[in-house]
């Protein structure tokens, strides 16, 4: 018998009952997504941090506030037109990078989010997200700002993680902040053409 496709609500529910990796034991909340369910724009970050674990909402700390500002500069917001999630849904201790086994255990939830929404554009936020999709990634500085073919015919663009921008204050030409400005404008250009 053919399996009925799950809804995002059902996927979220099974994620909330998930103990496939050790992070299930230490989490306060599963951090599944925020924003509106839409088929145009999805942002995939790395992993929940302290504030995300506490609130159950992705990107609510300092880096998240900067991400919101960057997106809002182009008319993107969680209320209107963007869906945000992470490669893994539970916080790693001390905000370390997710381990391969944690990413593997959580992959089915990320894949389900993509399969259900089928976003036309996927923004990969930072090196951890990039490595989940590009097999041989030469590092974020080399791949950011370029378009790659993603799942279901989507276009994927890697961008710097906002926490990297928080550590690099310069706005000079060629600086991480300046490059981010180029990237978000390019994303808007393609978004408007869809
Ligand atoms: N950094 C991420 O990559 N994701 C979050 O949800 C918060 C911080």
């Amino acid at each position: 018998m053919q399996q009925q496709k799950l809804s995002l609500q059902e996927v979220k529910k099974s994620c909330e009952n998930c103990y496939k990796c050790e992070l299930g034991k230490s989490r306060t909340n599963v951090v599944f997504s925020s924003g509106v369910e839409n088929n145009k724009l999805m942002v995939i970050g790395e992993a929940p941090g302290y504030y995300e674990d506490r609130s159950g909402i992705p990107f609510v700390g300092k880096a998240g506030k900067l991400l919101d500002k960057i997106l809002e500069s182009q008319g993107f917001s969680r209320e209107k037109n963007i869906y945000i999630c992470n490669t893994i849904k539970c916080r790693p201790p001390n905000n370390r990078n997710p381990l391969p086994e944690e990413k593997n255990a959580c992959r089915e939830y990320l894949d389900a989010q993509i399969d259900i929404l089928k976003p036309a554009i996927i923004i990969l936020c930072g090196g951890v997200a990039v490595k989940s999709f590009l097999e041989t990634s030469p590092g974020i500085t080399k791949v950011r700002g370029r378009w790659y073919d993603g799942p279901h015919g989507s276009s994927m663009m890697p961008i710097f993680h906002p926490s990297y921008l928080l550590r690099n204050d310069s706005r000079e030409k060629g600086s991480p902040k300046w490059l981010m400005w180029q990237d978000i404008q390019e994303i808007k250009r393609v978004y408007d053409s869809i």
Side-chain angles (χ1 to χ4, degrees), residues 3 22 30 53 55 63-64 66 85 90 98 110 115-116 125-126 128-129 138 143 145 147 156 159 167 174 190 192-193:
Q3 270 226 303
E22 290 295 304
V30 162
D53 175 65
S55 63
L66 178 56
C85 60
C90 298
L110 176 60
D115 290 347
I116 293 167
C125 201
V128 169
V143 294
W147 288 111
M156 292 189 306
I159 61 169
R167 300 193 296 271
V190 171
D192 284 342
S193 73

Side-chain angles (χ1 to χ4, degrees), residues 31 45-49 52 57-60 63 86 125 161:
V31 180
E46 191 176 304
E52 291 77 22
I57 304 168
F59 281 106
V60 289
N86 283 304
C125 201
H161 196 281

